[in-house]
Amino acid sequence: MTDAIDQIRTMSPEVLANVGAQALAYVRPVEVDGGQKAFGIFAANGMQMGIAPSRELAFITVRQHELMPVSVH
C-alpha cells in the first residue's frame, strides 16, 4: 500500500487531473449569454464538455454518456 501512496504523491498535476477522466464528469453552475444561469458539464481534467439549462438535465446527460456525474459547488 505504501508504494501506491508514494506513486500518488509523485504524480504531476497534469497526470493527477486526468485520474478518473474516462469515468467522471463534474457539474457546476455557470453563467452564459450575459448572465443567464446554466450548468456546465466538465471532464475530470477541467475541459468543458457541454452546458445544460438545469442541474437535473446535466446529470441525465452525463449518465447517458456512461459517466458518473459529480456535483461541484
Side-chain angles (χ1 to χ4, degrees):
M1 178 115 130
T2 303
D3 290 339
I5 292 171
D6 288 339
Q7 288 177 348
I8 291 170
R9 288 183 177 151
T10 60
M11 284 183 180
S12 71
E14 293 80 18
V15 171
L16 192 58
N18 285 310
V19 171
Q22 297 178 0
L24 298 174
Y26 68 89
V27 175
R28 67 175 175 88
V30 296
E31 288 187 11
V32 294
D33 297 330
Q36 185 178 5
K37 295 183 182 187
F39 287 83
I41 301 169
F42 298 86
N45 65 4
M47 184 177 84
Q48 186 170 357
M49 299 188 297
I51 296 175
S54 70
R55 182 180 178 275
E56 293 77 18
L57 187 56
F59 269 57
I60 289 168
T61 302
V62 169
R63 288 186 185 115
Q64 285 179 336
H65 287 87
E66 299 181 1
L67 296 170
M68 175 67 70
V70 179
S71 187
V72 177
H73 302 279

